[in-house]
Amino acid sequence: MENWQAIFSVIIFVTVIVLIMMEWVHLTIVALLGALLLVFSNIMTLPEAVGYIGKSHGTLGLFFGVMVLVRAFEPTNIFSYIATQIVILAQGSGKKLLLGIVVLVTPICAVLPNATTVMLLAPLIPPMAQEIGVNFVPLLILMVFVANSAGLLTLVGDPATFIVGDAVNISFLDYLWNLSLGGVIAVATVVCTLPFLFRKIWNTRLDDLAELPHPEINHPRVLMVGGVIVGFVLLFFVIGESLPIPISPAAVALLGAALALLLSHHSRIDTVNNILRDVDWSTLIFFMSIFVLIGGLDKTGVLKGLSGILAIVLGKNILLGSLVLLFSVGILSSVIPNIPLVVAMVPLLKQYIVNVGLAPAEVLASDYQGQFPPEVLPLFYAMMFGATLGGNGTLVGASSNIVAAGISEQHGRRISFKTFLHYGIPVMLLQLVTSALYMLVRFLL
């Protein structure tokens, strides 16, 4: 019976991914139907499915909070205003605009989770692209690439990176010393692709900047108070979890959303119903469904079984294991959102290093606070790079990709799986190769 359930879970998961790739049905519908099939086939109960969603409450709370926060300030016209200023600073040059997106996103993603950064900045892209006369979809895709890549600059830049780092007790400073250069290389790789993958925009030039519309800011007093709220949110994103009473990013985002709703309601610039109606529920439901699908693989033992395969294939060869993990996790992460992937892979990898005698059994304890053997850390570093950079490969590879797709759809253009693939595969492959070289030089040779 259990074998049948495992096989059925794999079939459902693979079918969902294939249908998303073929784009016959909207990805949210496909994922939701797949999750419900697990419930109706009795592979898991509805409370168990909700439990798997609950395990990822931090991700969902963060996304919902930032979505509300961004939407609440739309009536102020701040996004159109900033977009125009960026185009003016770029002097109408497509080349400078592309590089400007890299420069804008990279430092922010060093301190904020990449999906959060995309939520905050992506609303700038459509009006910016409209003013310079180009399609905004490639610009959104570029923002995603930079956000995902820059997420490797610090321990907190990407949820997947944080999950792995936290699991092996890597400190913020240790991460900076050992792995941040890999993030720099990943961003530099994206920059090198700009003249080729984004050739049309790279060569675009808007000569008459005087013809640009110059939107004005509405409700400046409300915006000033809103700026204080956003500043509070950004500050506590960075320091919240280090306070004596830790405050998670999700809690901070939800509080910011509540304050933004209060401000909008009190100032009457918009109604609560309008703001909540415009939240990207499709993206949130997609993530919930994916968490359930991954939960099905976890409950039926599919993920645990993979650790045995790792032990057989890799043995104690750290060099081979690191490279295999880098590319295999990278490829997997291109079709499985990287957050649930690393949540599933971390215990699998821990079990593997214990099985082959590279680490004591104590490391399997959830409350283990000791140091992992230094020789096994490259395996976890490889998982970080693979999960984060593999997310650039396809539309469903990372949470920021899905967020950008949702924002694009809200602005009237759908990012198709094929379109994202056109940009994503070359970037992902180049980044995995450069990361492998970095890993070899820095840790393995």
Side-chain angles (χ1 to χ4, degrees), residues 16 46 86 106 152 159-160 212 249 253 256 282 290 317 394 426 430 444:
V16 166
L46 187 58
I86 291 174
T106 299
L152 285 169
L212 279 178
S282 174
I290 287 292
N317 191 327
T394 72
L430 281 171
L444 300 171

Side-chain angles (χ1 to χ4, degrees), residues 148-149 151-152 158 160-161 333 338 383-392:
N148 291 341
S149 305
L152 285 169
D158 187 291
T161 301
S333 184
N338 56 12
M383 185 191 293
M384 286 181 182
F385 281 104
T388 302
L389 300 177
N392 282 333

Side-chain angles (χ1 to χ4, degrees), residues 291-312:
F291 291 139
V292 173
L293 290 167
I294 294 290
L297 299 178
D298 178 46
K299 185 188 175 186
T300 56
V302 173
L303 297 176
K304 188 176 290 185
L306 292 174
S307 66
I309 297 174
L310 276 178
I312 294 170

Side-chain angles (χ1 to χ4, degrees), residues 160-244:
T161 301
F162 179 79
I163 290 167
V164 179
D166 185 57
V168 292
N169 304 323
I170 298 173
S171 71
F172 192 90
L173 290 177
D174 285 341
Y175 186 96
L176 288 178
W177 175 253
N178 290 312
L179 296 167
S180 287
L181 180 57
V184 173
I185 293 170
V187 173
T189 303
V190 174
V191 173
C192 291
T193 67
L194 295 181
F196 310 102
L197 286 180
F198 302 89
R199 184 182 297 110
K200 185 175 180 181
I201 299 175
W202 183 268
N203 294 324
T204 297
R205 183 164 188 84
L206 183 64
D207 294 321
D208 194 355
L209 295 178
E211 293 183 1
L212 279 178
H214 288 77
E216 295 183 356
I217 291 177
N218 302 323
H219 315 291
R221 291 183 180 178
V222 174
L223 187 60
M224 286 177 63
V225 178
V228 173
I229 294 173
V230 172
F232 157 82
V233 169
L234 295 178
L235 174 64
F236 279 85
F237 273 160
V238 177
I239 69 169
E241 292 186 298
S242 61
L243 295 175

Side-chain angles (χ1 to χ4, degrees), residues 57-66 69 232-233 236-237 240-241 245-259:
H57 65 275
T59 301
L60 296 170
L62 177 67
F63 287 178
F64 174 76
V66 175
L69 193 63
F232 157 82
V233 169
F236 279 85
F237 273 160
E241 292 186 298
I245 301 176
I247 306 173
S248 70
V252 173
L254 290 171
L255 179 58
L259 293 174

Side-chain angles (χ1 to χ4, degrees), residues 76-95:
T76 66
N77 214 27
I78 183 63
F79 301 115
S80 296
Y81 177 82
I82 294 175
T84 301
Q85 300 309 308
I86 291 174
V87 172
I88 291 172
L89 285 173
Q91 300 174 325
S93 166
K95 179 192 304 184

Side-chain angles (χ1 to χ4, degrees), residues 81-418:
Y81 177 82
I82 294 175
T84 301
Q85 300 309 308
I86 291 174
V87 172
I88 291 172
L89 285 173
Q91 300 174 325
S93 166
K95 179 192 304 184
K96 291 181 179 178
L97 186 61
L98 291 171
L99 293 172
I101 290 174
V102 176
V103 171
L104 177 67
V105 174
T106 299
I108 296 176
C109 274
V111 293
L112 292 182
N114 47 17
T116 306
T117 303
V118 170
M119 281 185 204
L120 290 171
L121 298 182
L124 302 176
I125 297 296
M128 190 191 307
Q130 184 179 2
E131 288 170 5
I132 204 171
V134 296
N135 182 2
F136 66 75
V137 167
L139 294 177
L140 278 177
I141 292 174
L142 172 62
M143 176 174 282
V144 165
F145 290 162
V146 177
N148 291 341
S149 305
L152 285 169
L153 290 172
T154 68
L155 185 61
V156 298
D158 187 291
T161 301
F162 179 79
I163 290 167
V164 179
D166 185 57
V168 292
N169 304 323
I170 298 173
S171 71
F172 192 90
L173 290 177
D174 285 341
Y175 186 96
L176 288 178
W177 175 253
N178 290 312
L179 296 167
S180 287
L181 180 57
V184 173
I185 293 170
V187 173
T189 303
V190 174
V191 173
C192 291
T193 67
L194 295 181
F196 310 102
L197 286 180
F198 302 89
R199 184 182 297 110
K200 185 175 180 181
I201 299 175
W202 183 268
N203 294 324
T204 297
R205 183 164 188 84
L206 183 64
D207 294 321
D208 194 355
L209 295 178
E211 293 183 1
L212 279 178
H214 288 77
E216 295 183 356
I217 291 177
N218 302 323
H219 315 291
R221 291 183 180 178
V222 174
L223 187 60
M224 286 177 63
V225 178
V228 173
I229 294 173
V230 172
F232 157 82
V233 169
L234 295 178
L235 174 64
F236 279 85
F237 273 160
V238 177
I239 69 169
E241 292 186 298
S242 61
L243 295 175
I245 301 176
I247 306 173
S248 70
V252 173
L254 290 171
L255 179 58
L259 293 174
L261 287 173
L262 177 64
L263 178 62
S264 296
H265 175 73
H266 182 72
S267 62
R268 298 183 179 179
I269 65 170
D270 210 338
T271 67
V272 172
N273 285 340
N274 282 344
I275 294 170
L276 294 181
R277 184 188 62 211
D278 291 341
V279 167
D280 188 2
W281 295 106
S282 174
T283 297
L284 293 174
I285 293 170
F286 174 80
F287 276 116
M288 286 187 270
S289 303
I290 287 292
F291 291 139
V292 173
L293 290 167
I294 294 290
L297 299 178
D298 178 46
K299 185 188 175 186
T300 56
V302 173
L303 297 176
K304 188 176 290 185
L306 292 174
S307 66
I309 297 174
L310 276 178
I312 294 170
V313 173
L314 303 180
K316 293 186 177 182
N317 191 327
I318 298 294
L319 191 153
L320 175 64
S322 298
L323 294 179
V324 168
L325 273 172
L326 175 65
F327 285 97
S328 60
V329 171
I331 292 169
L332 279 174
S333 184
S334 68
V335 293
I336 303 173
N338 56 12
I339 295 174
L341 177 64
V342 297
V343 167
M345 286 288 291
V346 164
L348 184 155
L349 188 54
K350 283 185 176 181
Q351 187 67 57
Y352 156 69
I353 62 174
V354 170
N355 288 349
V356 297
L358 291 171
E362 298 90 73
V363 303
L364 298 177
S366 58
D367 58 350
Y368 179 72
Q369 296 297 319
Q371 296 296 312
F372 278 63
E375 61 269 20
V376 306
L377 290 178
L379 295 168
F380 292 92
Y381 298 160
M383 185 191 293
M384 286 181 182
F385 281 104
T388 302
L389 300 177
N392 282 333
T394 72
L395 184 62
V396 297
S399 52
S400 51
N401 306 14
I402 305 298
V403 168
I407 291 171
S408 181
E409 199 163 347
Q410 287 181 326
H411 285 84
R413 285 183 182 267
R414 190 172 65 88
I415 301 178
S416 70
F417 197 94
K418 183 179 178 181

